[in-house]
PDB file of all heavy atoms in Angstrom:
ATOM      1  N   ASN A  13       1.694  10.949 -11.298  1.00 51.00           N
ATOM      2  CA  ASN A  13       0.318  10.928 -11.763  1.00 51.00           C
ATOM      3  C   ASN A  13      -0.377  12.245 -11.451  1.00 51.00           C
ATOM      4  O   ASN A  13      -1.006  12.840 -12.283  1.00 51.00           O
ATOM      5  CB  ASN A  13      -0.422   9.762 -11.059  1.00 51.00           C
ATOM      6  CG  ASN A  13      -1.804   9.653 -11.536  1.00 51.00           C
ATOM      7  OD1 ASN A  13      -2.055   9.659 -12.757  1.00 51.00           O
ATOM      8  ND2 ASN A  13      -2.708   9.551 -10.617  1.00 51.00           N
ATOM      9  N   ALA A  14      -0.156  12.704 -10.221  1.00 46.00           N
ATOM     10  CA  ALA A  14      -0.774  13.971  -9.818  1.00 46.00           C
ATOM     11  C   ALA A  14      -0.251  15.098 -10.651  1.00 46.00           C
ATOM     12  O   ALA A  14      -1.018  15.971 -11.072  1.00 46.00           O
ATOM     13  CB  ALA A  14      -0.510  14.224  -8.355  1.00 46.00           C
ATOM     14  N   ALA A  15       1.065  15.056 -11.007  1.00 44.00           N
ATOM     15  CA  ALA A  15       1.622  16.074 -11.794  1.00 44.00           C
ATOM     16  C   ALA A  15       0.992  16.055 -13.144  1.00 44.00           C
ATOM     17  O   ALA A  15       0.639  17.083 -13.725  1.00 44.00           O
ATOM     18  CB  ALA A  15       3.130  15.873 -11.921  1.00 44.00           C
ATOM     19  N   ARG A  16       0.825  14.790 -13.676  1.00 46.00           N
ATOM     20  CA  ARG A  16       0.256  14.619 -14.945  1.00 46.00           C
ATOM     21  C   ARG A  16      -1.136  15.214 -14.989  1.00 46.00           C
ATOM     22  O   ARG A  16      -1.576  15.864 -15.903  1.00 46.00           O
ATOM     23  CB  ARG A  16       0.228  13.126 -15.338  1.00 46.00           C
ATOM     24  CG  ARG A  16       0.795  12.867 -16.712  1.00 46.00           C
ATOM     25  CD  ARG A  16       0.743  11.362 -16.920  1.00 46.00           C
ATOM     26  NE  ARG A  16       1.401  10.649 -15.823  1.00 46.00           N
ATOM     27  CZ  ARG A  16       1.107   9.388 -15.536  1.00 46.00           C
ATOM     28  NH1 ARG A  16       0.208   8.719 -16.169  1.00 46.00           N
ATOM     29  NH2 ARG A  16       1.725   8.823 -14.534  1.00 46.00           N
ATOM     30  N   ARG A  17      -1.875  14.868 -13.927  1.00 50.00           N
ATOM     31  CA  ARG A  17      -3.285  15.273 -13.920  1.00 50.00           C
ATOM     32  C   ARG A  17      -3.442  16.771 -13.808  1.00 50.00           C
ATOM     33  O   ARG A  17      -4.384  17.385 -14.186  1.00 50.00           O
ATOM     34  CB  ARG A  17      -4.068  14.586 -12.841  1.00 50.00           C
ATOM     35  CG  ARG A  17      -5.442  14.234 -13.273  1.00 50.00           C
ATOM     36  CD  ARG A  17      -6.214  13.549 -12.156  1.00 50.00           C
ATOM     37  NE  ARG A  17      -5.671  12.237 -11.847  1.00 50.00           N
ATOM     38  CZ  ARG A  17      -5.749  11.699 -10.621  1.00 50.00           C
ATOM     39  NH1 ARG A  17      -6.491  12.308  -9.724  1.00 50.00           N
ATOM     40  NH2 ARG A  17      -5.279  10.566 -10.376  1.00 50.00           N
ATOM     41  N   GLY A  18      -2.410  17.391 -13.192  1.00 47.00           N
ATOM     42  CA  GLY A  18      -2.286  18.797 -13.142  1.00 47.00           C
ATOM     43  C   GLY A  18      -3.452  19.511 -12.459  1.00 47.00           C
ATOM     44  O   GLY A  18      -4.009  20.446 -12.961  1.00 47.00           O
ATOM     45  N   SER A  19      -3.845  19.052 -11.293  1.00 67.00           N
ATOM     46  CA  SER A  19      -4.821  19.781 -10.456  1.00 67.00           C
ATOM     47  C   SER A  19      -4.265  20.097  -9.175  1.00 67.00           C
ATOM     48  O   SER A  19      -4.648  19.526  -8.140  1.00 67.00           O
ATOM     49  CB  SER A  19      -6.154  19.029 -10.391  1.00 67.00           C
ATOM     50  OG  SER A  19      -5.873  17.752  -9.828  1.00 67.00           O
ATOM     51  N   PRO A  20      -3.145  20.942  -9.130  1.00 79.00           N
ATOM     52  CA  PRO A  20      -2.500  21.172  -7.878  1.00 79.00           C
ATOM     53  C   PRO A  20      -3.369  21.771  -6.793  1.00 79.00           C
ATOM     54  O   PRO A  20      -3.186  21.548  -5.648  1.00 79.00           O
ATOM     55  CB  PRO A  20      -1.346  22.103  -8.300  1.00 79.00           C
ATOM     56  CG  PRO A  20      -1.778  22.742  -9.506  1.00 79.00           C
ATOM     57  CD  PRO A  20      -2.671  21.796 -10.204  1.00 79.00           C
ATOM     58  N   LEU A  21      -4.363  22.570  -7.233  1.00 83.00           N
ATOM     59  CA  LEU A  21      -5.218  23.279  -6.289  1.00 83.00           C
ATOM     60  C   LEU A  21      -6.031  22.274  -5.440  1.00 83.00           C
ATOM     61  O   LEU A  21      -5.954  22.285  -4.212  1.00 83.00           O
ATOM     62  CB  LEU A  21      -6.155  24.230  -6.974  1.00 83.00           C
ATOM     63  CG  LEU A  21      -7.036  25.060  -6.007  1.00 83.00           C
ATOM     64  CD1 LEU A  21      -6.106  26.005  -5.205  1.00 83.00           C
ATOM     65  CD2 LEU A  21      -8.112  25.771  -6.737  1.00 83.00           C
ATOM     66  N   SER A  22      -6.718  21.375  -6.135  1.00 83.00           N
ATOM     67  CA  SER A  22      -7.538  20.453  -5.382  1.00 83.00           C
ATOM     68  C   SER A  22      -6.631  19.552  -4.557  1.00 83.00           C
ATOM     69  O   SER A  22      -7.002  19.194  -3.427  1.00 83.00           O
ATOM     70  CB  SER A  22      -8.417  19.630  -6.309  1.00 83.00           C
ATOM     71  OG  SER A  22      -7.632  18.759  -7.081  1.00 83.00           O
ATOM     72  N   ARG A  23      -5.450  19.179  -5.052  1.00 86.00           N
ATOM     73  CA  ARG A  23      -4.566  18.395  -4.405  1.00 86.00           C
ATOM     74  C   ARG A  23      -4.155  19.071  -3.077  1.00 86.00           C
ATOM     75  O   ARG A  23      -4.207  18.506  -1.985  1.00 86.00           O
ATOM     76  CB  ARG A  23      -3.388  18.078  -5.237  1.00 86.00           C
ATOM     77  CG  ARG A  23      -2.277  17.294  -4.583  1.00 86.00           C
ATOM     78  CD  ARG A  23      -1.223  16.985  -5.611  1.00 86.00           C
ATOM     79  NE  ARG A  23      -0.141  16.212  -4.868  1.00 86.00           N
ATOM     80  CZ  ARG A  23       0.936  16.765  -4.329  1.00 86.00           C
ATOM     81  NH1 ARG A  23       1.102  18.030  -4.393  1.00 86.00           N
ATOM     82  NH2 ARG A  23       1.803  16.044  -3.721  1.00 86.00           N
ATOM     83  N   ARG A  24      -3.774  20.303  -3.236  1.00 88.00           N
ATOM     84  CA  ARG A  24      -3.301  21.017  -2.046  1.00 88.00           C
ATOM     85  C   ARG A  24      -4.438  21.221  -1.008  1.00 88.00           C
ATOM     86  O   ARG A  24      -4.290  21.126   0.160  1.00 88.00           O
ATOM     87  CB  ARG A  24      -2.787  22.429  -2.429  1.00 88.00           C
ATOM     88  CG  ARG A  24      -1.260  22.427  -2.433  1.00 88.00           C
ATOM     89  CD  ARG A  24      -0.777  23.754  -2.748  1.00 88.00           C
ATOM     90  NE  ARG A  24       0.336  23.634  -3.704  1.00 88.00           N
ATOM     91  CZ  ARG A  24       0.786  24.623  -4.453  1.00 88.00           C
ATOM     92  NH1 ARG A  24       0.224  25.813  -4.317  1.00 88.00           N
ATOM     93  NH2 ARG A  24       1.811  24.470  -5.233  1.00 88.00           N
ATOM     94  N   LEU A  25      -5.596  21.524  -1.570  1.00 90.00           N
ATOM     95  CA  LEU A  25      -6.777  21.665  -0.661  1.00 90.00           C
ATOM     96  C   LEU A  25      -7.019  20.398   0.159  1.00 90.00           C
ATOM     97  O   LEU A  25      -7.191  20.432   1.316  1.00 90.00           O
ATOM     98  CB  LEU A  25      -7.984  22.025  -1.482  1.00 90.00           C
ATOM     99  CG  LEU A  25      -8.189  23.477  -1.825  1.00 90.00           C
ATOM    100  CD1 LEU A  25      -9.449  23.692  -2.644  1.00 90.00           C
ATOM    101  CD2 LEU A  25      -8.250  24.318  -0.516  1.00 90.00           C
ATOM    102  N   LEU A  26      -7.005  19.290  -0.555  1.00 90.00           N
ATOM    103  CA  LEU A  26      -7.238  18.028   0.108  1.00 90.00           C
ATOM    104  C   LEU A  26      -6.218  17.684   1.111  1.00 90.00           C
ATOM    105  O   LEU A  26      -6.523  17.262   2.237  1.00 90.00           O
ATOM    106  CB  LEU A  26      -7.387  16.923  -0.932  1.00 90.00           C
ATOM    107  CG  LEU A  26      -8.678  16.923  -1.732  1.00 90.00           C
ATOM    108  CD1 LEU A  26      -8.660  15.833  -2.784  1.00 90.00           C
ATOM    109  CD2 LEU A  26      -9.874  16.650  -0.768  1.00 90.00           C
TER     110      LEU A  26
END
Side-chain angles (χ1 to χ4, degrees):
Chain A
N13 184 49
R16 231 178 306 157
R17 216 181 295 156
S19 56
L21 182 68
S22 66
R23 175 175 180 267
R24 258 184 225 164
L25 275 178
L26 284 173

